[in-house]
Amino acid sequence: MPTAYVLDFDGTITTADLTTELARQFGGREFHQIEDLYRRRKLGMREWLKRMSAFLPADWELLKSMALEWASLRPGFKKFARHCREQGSPLYIVSDGFGFYIEPVLEKLGCREEITAIFCNKAVVSGENKIEILSPYAHPICTNCGNCKAALVQRFRREGWKVAYAGDGNNDRFGAAWSHYIYARDELAEHCRNHGLPHLIWNDFEDILAAEPRRESFAHNPKDSPFCRPQDRGYLF
Ligand SMILES: [Mg+2]
């Protein structure tokens, strides 16, 4: 069965989490309060995005220029993307951040053409001249995430792919848990460890490439997830 590579963007393809950095830049003290609620699971990513995006100025040029200035690729990404292309594997980005800077960052860093498709939220300017985040890939019932990465992973599986998921963050656990191969760092690695999900700890894309020949040693074929059921009501409260 061929493999589709599904990658988070912030803190995975890029070294910095650009959504968090923009929120921190403009959110001031309230950034820490909202972040704390998120960490304590008092609110999900969709609500986080709604509250944090309210702090952003409705100035695309300014926001994009900041994201472009802060963005750098995690080492080995271009080599990894070439590997995907050579073996005929699609490379999908699934992001639950502000989204608007992903294409410009990929263009600037010279790897937009390596990406098969981008599934992310959409930032628009609302009537009150405020930034608002729309989530075209949200779950129809569950309100926890903006972008339902778990449903996207299930969709790729239904299309006949083995899914290899690489991520770093808290809400990557939803998509990763439904994937056949998990490449986890930081908070995602913690979730995998705590819930006994087989995974490979990675630091950069060279680690993922180096583990390719032995990936069956950390493979699994999930029939369920400790985190959510996108085919049902979503997040398991
Ligand atoms: Mg991330």
Side-chain angles (χ1 to χ4, degrees), residues 35-196:
E35 187 68 7
D36 182 55
L37 290 172
Y38 176 70
R39 299 277 147 206
R40 290 191 288 122
R41 302 204 187 164
K42 301 289 182 198
L43 54 87
M45 193 61 195
R46 197 184 308 182
E47 184 63 20
W48 187 102
L49 288 165
K50 186 179 170 195
R51 295 193 193 185
M52 294 293 198
S53 60
F55 302 128
L56 303 183
D59 181 341
W60 295 124
E61 288 316 306
L62 174 69
L63 294 172
K64 272 185 207 165
S65 68
M66 294 174 93
L68 288 171
E69 190 190 326
W70 297 334
S72 63
L73 283 179
R74 192 168 290 286
F77 178 69
K78 287 189 178 176
K79 190 172 162 191
F80 170 76
R82 204 162 51 239
H83 166 79
C84 294
R85 177 158 37 88
E86 283 166 5
Q87 64 170 30
S89 289
L91 186 42
Y92 296 127
I93 291 177
V94 295
S95 163
D96 204 6
F98 294 142
F100 62 86
Y101 50 75
I102 294 179
E103 292 231 19
V105 163
L106 291 169
E107 293 281 357
K108 185 197 167 197
L109 299 175
C111 40
R112 173 63 187 93
E113 68 283 358
E114 302 285 9
I115 310 300
T116 311
I118 300 170
F119 301 87
C120 66
N121 298 314
K122 188 172 163 54
V124 295
V125 176
S126 71
E128 301 86 50
N129 207 32
K130 292 267 187 196
I131 301 278
E132 192 184 329
I133 304 299
L134 308 178
S135 298
Y137 304 105
H139 190 278
I141 301 168
C142 177
T143 58
N144 191 62
C145 297
N147 192 357
C148 184
K149 298 185 181 197
L152 286 165
V153 167
Q154 287 198 339
R155 169 177 151 184
F156 303 140
R157 290 179 55 158
R158 280 196 305 275
E159 289 170 0
W161 302 102
K162 276 209 163 179
V163 175
Y165 190 102
D168 71 305
N170 246 315
N171 79 334
D172 286 311
R173 70 189 189 276
F174 300 114
W178 287 103
S179 302
H180 298 93
Y181 309 100
I182 307 174
Y183 302 90
R185 48 173 291 146
D186 306 333
E187 289 159 328
L188 177 58
E190 212 176 300
H191 284 293
C192 290
R193 208 166 37 241
N194 292 344
H195 290 85

